Amino acid sequence: MPVNAARKARTHQEILDHAARLFRLRGYDATTIDDVMLAAGMTRGAFYAHFKSKDDLFAEVLRTSHGLLRLLRGRTGENTRTLGREASRLLDDYLHKDHLGEVSVGCTLAALPGDVGRAPLAARLAYGNAVYGLIAELGRGRPRPRQLDANATAAAVLCVGAIGMARAVGDRRLSDWLLRCARRAAAALLTASPNQVKRPASRARSKSTSRRKSAAARRPKRAARPRGDRA
């Protein structure tokens, strides 16, 4: 790679890293382009050599800055149980009460869902792809690899949601309890054997079954005729 291209790539990554940290720490609205460039030790004019706008920067942060995903992709297990145990250990550390502050500032998935929900479509799609990636990693090695594994999905919801709730509540004991419960539930989901994984019941199917039963109950019953009355 030419020197200029390599330097530009490093500068691009520096801007991304500082932007991701500030977005997670302050939120999207409270972070300006000037804040990002000042943290990176550059002028505002240099920003537009790398990004079209603040929205463009935000979307790229959401496409690339996910520490939890990087950790999960580094697992080396060879079977379902080993991969599940490794994921469980990583999530146990992720959800530990002593690391809440670090995760709050270090995890884009947990720190920014509210900001992303109000952001343009590009940012929301980038966040959605990251969620797909998280579920796929948690489900790696589990049954039905081409589908969204139910246990992995529930574990992802538990972990990201627990961090957000634990940050928001003003009661330290409640915060610790939320994280502890999420750790236990996530571990149980990810270490369950394939035989213990149950597919969620189809709502449409149960609804149609109840309709048939209801219709049968409303249908008038015919009185049985004695055998002697038959021709």
Side-chain angles (χ1 to χ4, degrees):
M1 184 183 290
V3 176
N4 288 342
R7 184 181 300 166
K8 185 173 182 179
R10 284 198 303 272
T11 301
H12 188 93
Q13 189 59 49
E14 284 179 22
I15 296 171
L16 267 180
D17 291 343
H18 286 288
R21 180 178 60 82
L22 289 174
F23 284 143
R24 290 190 295 256
L25 183 63
R26 302 178 181 178
Y28 176 81
D29 290 333
T31 302
T32 66
I33 292 175
D34 288 331
D35 293 334
V36 173
M37 299 310 287
L38 180 63
M42 304 174 201
T43 62
R44 184 186 178 95
F47 175 86
Y48 295 99
H50 299 273
F51 304 96
K52 296 177 182 177
S53 64
K54 182 181 167 185
D55 285 343
D56 183 40
L57 171 64
F58 191 51
E60 187 160 347
V61 164
L62 293 169
R63 281 192 292 270
T64 59
S65 301
H66 301 289
L68 179 59
L69 264 177
R70 283 194 296 271
L71 289 173
L72 288 169
R73 285 169 179 160
R75 288 177 296 162
T76 57
E78 298 179 354
N79 55 56
T80 301
R81 188 168 294 278
T82 305
L83 285 167
R85 285 174 180 167
E86 286 186 51
S88 179
R89 283 196 297 270
L90 286 171
L91 294 180
D92 189 70
D93 188 58
Y94 177 80
L95 291 167
H96 198 279
K97 63 180 181 179
D98 293 338
H99 301 158
L100 180 59
E102 298 170 21
V103 172
S104 300
V105 179
C107 179
T108 302
L109 281 166
L112 293 171
D115 295 84
V116 176
R118 296 183 291 271
L121 180 61
R124 287 183 279 126
L125 289 175
Y127 188 89
N129 286 335
V131 172
Y132 270 116
L134 177 61
I135 294 170
E137 276 303 315
L138 291 174
R140 181 152 52 105
R142 295 184 63 77
R144 301 191 300 278
R146 296 183 182 179
Q147 300 180 24
L148 291 176
D149 182 81
N151 281 31
T153 302
V157 173
L158 272 170
C159 294
V160 175
I163 291 293
M165 292 177 71
R167 288 177 67 202
V169 298
D171 186 332
R172 179 63 186 269
R173 291 179 62 187
L174 177 57
S175 176
D176 294 350
W177 176 246
L178 292 171
L179 295 175
R180 196 181 313 134
C181 289
R183 286 203 308 275
R184 290 174 182 171
L189 287 165
L190 295 177
T191 57
S193 67
N195 293 332
Q196 292 175 297
V197 179
K198 294 182 179 180
R199 193 171 183 176
S202 170
R203 187 176 178 183
R205 185 177 177 181
S206 62
K207 189 174 181 180
S208 62
T209 302
S210 62
R211 280 181 177 175
R212 286 198 300 270
K213 289 181 178 179
S214 178
R218 291 196 302 268
R219 194 178 298 127
K221 294 183 179 180
R222 292 172 127 188
R225 290 186 301 172
R227 289 178 178 267
D229 293 345
R230 293 182 182 178

